Amino acid sequence: MSLSRRIRVAALLEESPLTAEAVVTDVRHLLSHGEEALAFDTMCSWIYEDDLPISRQYHARLVELAEEMGTPRSVQRLDELLIDRVDDHRSSPGQ
């Protein structure tokens, strides 16, 4: 994978709503070993599993990178966590 993808995954991680230090450390560890796709999938999985709200803009960036990396399943169902839905008044992490 390219350095550009590693940088983009790292940037998305820094902007993510993830707060569990162990998860963030695991994703960084995977990135440091050149496992960008696995790091990305791990990050997306934890966002979903922890039911963490994300903005439409952040979601769009996740989807774009998933398509580029050929891992569209990584972002499957993350649209359920969008915060700018009419029925959702949560705060706005992950912008």
Side-chain angles (χ1 to χ4, degrees):
M1 294 266 172
S2 70
L3 181 60
S4 171
R5 288 184 184 163
R6 184 176 305 161
I7 291 169
R8 289 168 62 197
V9 173
L12 286 165
L13 176 63
E14 293 305 315
E15 298 171 35
S16 79
L18 292 170
T19 58
E21 194 57 40
V23 173
V24 172
T25 298
D26 286 347
V27 173
R28 286 184 183 142
H29 178 78
L30 291 166
L31 285 173
S32 72
H33 289 282
E35 296 287 347
E36 290 86 1
L38 185 54
F40 181 75
D41 185 63
T42 300
M43 178 180 68
C44 292
S45 294
W46 278 105
I47 289 171
Y48 183 78
E49 289 301 318
D50 287 350
D51 195 32
L52 300 172
I54 57 175
S55 70
R56 287 194 181 278
Q57 296 83 6
Y58 186 76
H59 180 260
R61 291 171 57 210
L62 292 172
V63 169
E64 179 182 334
L65 188 54
E67 289 173 359
E68 181 182 312
M69 293 188 338
T71 61
R73 293 192 73 172
S74 296
V75 295
Q76 194 172 22
R77 301 184 71 181
L78 287 181
D79 59 335
E80 297 173 13
L81 304 173
L82 294 174
I83 56 166
D84 42 347
R85 295 179 300 192
V86 174
D87 63 333
D88 201 339
H89 301 289
R90 292 185 266 190
S91 61
S92 179
Q95 283 192 351

